[in-house]
């Protein structure tokens, strides 16, 4: 006879399977779906969202939770899984089914219009759709807040990273803004004293880039027996832990965006592949949150693969692929190319020192949109004013301003802080790995990430969602999130 816990586990497995189907459909929409399929795909995703929600909020779930909690769990993984089930049930029961489906449809419609609005740099085109998305986000946040005992915006952030709160984020971001105020001009001054880096000569055929990127991802540890590399307008990682999908985009005049995007997305994919298989399709077997996820993409891309040692190895592979003068592919030159500070408008192209400014701006704006102190019509002006205050420049058009990211237009509010929290965590994890893994940098100089990956499998990947973000960092590094390691990393790389 099945216990209450067993019944819950079976139900959550079904919910996770529906989520996997939604993930693959979303991947297809971004990579292969013809333009005319958008309306039907929105309906499909909305129905799957509604089915998942109905499975989660059914009265029997509440009864089984109460019975399982009363019985108690001594195993820490089962206990954590039960706690996460309760949390998911609480979030879901706060949301009426019609609101869940309305959000799915509004997000899908908005995202499709956003693609054309960005192409035309026309915010007015997508504004009514974003207004509908924001209205529904506010409704959802207002419903979630009392159920979780959080503020509306904190309730949204909780959906992406458990345990992260506005007060803590505001403190971390204010500290970083102070650091950036003096560090960025000093880095620019130091950079100006050196000759500009050599540019590899184009063209770089897309087929050659794609083959190189596949080899590189495989070399980093991605098993293409359970992964794919495809093309999309915006690089991302999706799919499921046993069927990971990563994408990139290619430019025949510059191979760097594709290579660096694949390295970044491979970091995400390796995390998914390293999650504890014994807890597959259970809440405790999932990644620990989006800040944790970003830490894994960034520890691979920024910390490991942009290190001096790894660039020396990678440069040889790049030169073998593209030929020409070997000088631009030397480690020192690649470092000057890929570790160069620049006050630019586009977040995804930003260097690691100015990138947090992009996130800080979005965090403040989305919080104001949720709280109602900023209306959608005023977003472009507020964006430009905030960007000027942080980086001293303002975008010349909305395509390079408030239209550049997909997140808000598909309803993802509360997500942006994860990027910079992840960057800070990546630096903290890398500092700990260097202390604990003998000859880590020597391995990176051979292009070998396996010592780092083995360490991450134990410290992060294999932990699933057993621990909240700060507890996970404390166990792995000896302390909760501390921006000091990130600032030390930037100081050594850009000011040393």
């Amino acid at each position: 006879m099945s216990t209450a816990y067993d019944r819950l586990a079976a139900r959550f497995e079904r919910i996770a399977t529906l989520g996997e189907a939604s993930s693959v459909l979303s991947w297809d929409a971004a990579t292969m779906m013809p333009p005319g399929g958008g309306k039907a795909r929105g309906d499909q995703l909305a129905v799957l969202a509604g089915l998942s929600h109905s499975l989660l909020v059914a009265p029997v779930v509440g009864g089984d939770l109460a019975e399982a909690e009363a019985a108690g769990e001594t195993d820490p993984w089962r206990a954590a899984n039960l706690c996460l089930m309760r949390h998911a049930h609480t979030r879901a029961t706060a949301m009426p089914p019609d609101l869940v489906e309305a959000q799915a449809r509004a997000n899908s419609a908005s995202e499709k219009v956003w693609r054309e609005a960005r192409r035309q740099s026309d915010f007015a085109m997508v504004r009514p759709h974003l207004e509908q998305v924001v209205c529904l986000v506010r409704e959802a946040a207002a419903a979630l807040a009392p159920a979780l005992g959080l503020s509306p915006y904190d309730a949204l952030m909780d959906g992406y990273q458990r345990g992260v709160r506005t007060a803590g984020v505001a403190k971390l971001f204010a500290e970083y803004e102070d650091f950036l105020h003096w560090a960025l001009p000093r880095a620019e001054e130091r950079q100006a004293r050196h000759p500009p880096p050599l540019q590899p000569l184009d063209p770089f055929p897309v087929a050659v880039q794609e083959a190189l990127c596949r080899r590189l991802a495989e070399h980093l540890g991605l098993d293409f027996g359970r992964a794919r590399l495809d093309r999309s307008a915006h690089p991302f990682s999706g799919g499921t832990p046993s069927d990971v999908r990563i994408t990139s985009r290619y430019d025949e005049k510059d191979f760097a965006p594709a290579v660096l995007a694949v390295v970044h997305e491979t970091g995400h994919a390796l995390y998914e592949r390293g999650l504890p298989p014994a807890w597959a399709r259970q809440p405790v077997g999932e990644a620990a949150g989006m800040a944790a996820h970003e830490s894994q993409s960034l520890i691979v891309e920024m910390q490991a693969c942009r290190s001096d040692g790894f660039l020396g190895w990678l440069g040889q592979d790049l030169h073998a692929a593209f030929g020409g003068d070997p000088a631009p592919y030397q480690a020192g030159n690649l470092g000057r190319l890929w570790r160069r500070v620049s006050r630019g408008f586009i977040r995804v192209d930003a260097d690691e020192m100015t990138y947090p400014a992009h996130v800080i701006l979005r965090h403040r704006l989305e919080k104001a949109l949720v709280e109602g102190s900023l209306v959608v019509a005023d977003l472009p002006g507020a964006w430009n004013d905030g960007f000027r205050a942080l980086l001293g420049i303002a975008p010349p058009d909305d395509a390079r301003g408030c239209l550049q990211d997909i997140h808000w237009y598909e309803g993802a509010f509360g997500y942006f802080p994860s990027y910079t929290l992840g960057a800070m965590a990546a630096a903290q994890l890398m500092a700990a790995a260097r202390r604990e893994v003998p000859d880590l940098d020597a391995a990176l100089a051979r292009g070998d990430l396996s010592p780092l990956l083995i360490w991450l499998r134990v410290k992060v990947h294999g932990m699933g969602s057993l621990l909240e973000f700060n507890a996970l960092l404390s166990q792995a590094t000896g302390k909760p999130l501390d921006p000091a390691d990130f600032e030390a990393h930037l100081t050594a790389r850009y000011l040393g």
Side-chain angles (χ1 to χ4, degrees):
M1 182 177 179
S2 64
T3 65
Y5 180 90
D6 294 334
R7 293 192 296 271
L8 287 167
R11 181 170 290 257
F12 273 84
E13 183 174 356
R14 290 178 64 83
I15 293 168
T17 305
L18 289 172
E20 291 175 359
S22 293
S23 180
V24 174
L25 284 173
S26 296
W27 164 84
D28 175 78
T31 57
M32 296 186 177
M33 186 185 75
K39 172 66 168 60
R41 184 56 46 86
D43 291 339
Q44 293 156 9
L45 292 170
V47 168
L48 287 171
L51 285 171
S52 295
H53 186 261
S54 64
L55 281 172
L56 193 51
V57 301
V60 66
V61 175
D64 281 343
L65 279 166
E67 184 178 336
E69 288 165 343
E73 287 290 347
T74 56
D75 177 80
W77 284 86
R78 285 170 63 99
N81 201 35
L82 186 58
C83 180
L84 291 167
M85 289 172 174
R86 168 61 74 183
H87 187 72
H89 178 68
T90 299
R91 288 187 65 91
T93 52
M95 297 278 287
D98 57 342
L99 176 57
V100 174
E101 292 205 21
Q103 280 195 287
R105 288 193 167 89
N107 295 346
S108 181
S110 172
E111 184 264 338
K112 299 298 182 294
V113 176
W114 164 78
R115 293 182 183 277
E116 183 62 21
R118 184 184 60 169
R119 191 184 70 81
Q120 298 188 28
S121 191
D122 184 358
F123 179 74
M125 179 186 296
V126 76
R127 173 184 156 185
H129 295 275
L130 181 59
E131 286 174 337
Q132 178 65 11
V133 168
V134 170
C135 179
L136 291 168
V137 165
R138 288 175 181 164
E139 189 178 340
L144 288 166
L148 299 172
L150 300 171
S151 72
Y153 183 70
D154 279 349
L156 296 176
M157 283 203 301
D158 177 80
Y160 297 103
Q161 184 60 68
R162 272 189 314 140
V164 170
R165 302 289 180 261
T166 301
V169 169
K171 181 176 183 295
L172 290 169
F173 284 1
E175 290 177 6
Y176 188 79
E177 193 174 355
D178 289 342
F179 169 80
L180 187 67
H181 180 72
W182 68 263
L184 178 57
R186 190 175 300 179
E188 290 171 326
E189 179 185 359
R190 176 178 180 268
Q191 188 172 273
R193 293 197 299 266
H194 299 279
L198 301 172
Q199 296 288 340
L201 295 179
D202 62 72
F204 307 103
V206 167
V208 176
Q209 289 190 57
E210 199 162 30
L212 169 71
C213 286
R214 183 183 173 93
R215 289 198 310 274
L216 180 56
E218 193 166 28
H219 183 83
L220 295 177
L222 189 58
D223 172 13
F224 277 97
R226 295 184 179 274
R228 285 184 61 95
L229 170 61
D230 292 278
R231 303 180 191 181
S232 68
H234 184 90
F236 69 92
S237 175
T240 75
S242 61
D243 176 12
V244 179
R245 311 294 176 93
I246 64 172
T247 71
S248 191
R249 57 187 174 194
Y250 302 91
D251 178 354
E252 289 205 339
K253 291 187 176 298
D254 188 2
F255 63 82
V259 169
L260 296 175
V262 166
V263 169
H264 181 95
E265 301 306 336
T266 296
H268 282 302
L270 291 173
Y271 187 12
E272 288 292 315
R273 293 289 300 125
L275 292 171
W279 295 96
R281 293 177 172 163
Q282 294 299 311
V284 77
E286 297 173 357
M290 289 315 303
H293 234 305
E294 286 302 319
S295 78
Q296 296 312 287
S297 61
L298 292 172
I299 198 171
V300 171
E301 180 201 355
M302 292 295 188
Q303 298 292 326
C305 293
R306 295 204 201 194
S307 66
D308 290 338
F310 191 87
L311 289 179
W313 174 85
L314 179 60
Q316 299 174 49
D317 208 30
L318 294 172
H319 183 248
F322 301 121
D325 183 0
Y329 300 103
Q330 297 300 309
N333 193 70
L334 287 176
R336 288 192 296 275
L337 276 172
W338 295 351
R339 301 191 312 229
R340 187 173 183 83
V341 296
S342 176
R343 302 181 192 227
F345 302 120
I346 305 300
R347 174 184 62 85
V348 295
D349 295 334
D351 60 88
E352 58 185 330
M353 182 176 280
T354 61
Y355 192 107
H358 294 255
V359 171
I360 291 168
L361 171 65
R362 288 155 174 77
H363 165 64
R364 290 172 180 169
L365 291 177
E366 71 177 10
K367 183 172 179 288
L369 285 169
V370 170
E371 293 173 347
S373 58
L374 175 65
V375 297
V376 169
D378 294 337
L379 179 59
W383 181 288
N384 294 351
D385 291 345
F387 206 89
R388 189 180 294 108
L390 282 163
L391 287 176
I393 57 175
D397 52 55
D398 290 338
R400 284 172 282 187
C402 65
L403 284 175
Q404 66 181 270
D405 297 310
I406 192 174
H407 303 64
W408 294 338
Y409 302 93
E410 64 176 6
F413 284 75
Y415 182 101
F416 275 115
S418 297
Y419 286 116
T420 288
L421 299 180
M424 292 176 176
Q428 188 168 324
L429 288 164
M430 192 64 169
R434 281 196 166 100
R435 291 192 300 268
E436 297 181 15
V437 179
D439 299 322
L440 176 56
D441 285 296
L444 294 178
R446 300 191 301 271
D448 182 6
L449 257 69
S450 60
L452 176 62
L453 186 57
I454 290 168
W455 188 84
L456 291 171
R457 288 282 192 250
V458 174
K459 299 289 187 176
V460 180
H461 303 177
M463 299 300 292
S465 281
L466 181 65
L467 302 172
E468 286 190 350
F469 184 54
N470 274 304
L472 180 67
L473 284 176
S474 293
Q475 182 162 297
T477 72
K479 61 182 178 180
L481 185 63
D482 180 357
D485 288 302
F486 184 52
E487 293 176 10
H489 159 72
L490 296 177
T491 299
R493 181 169 281 184
Y494 296 96
L495 303 178

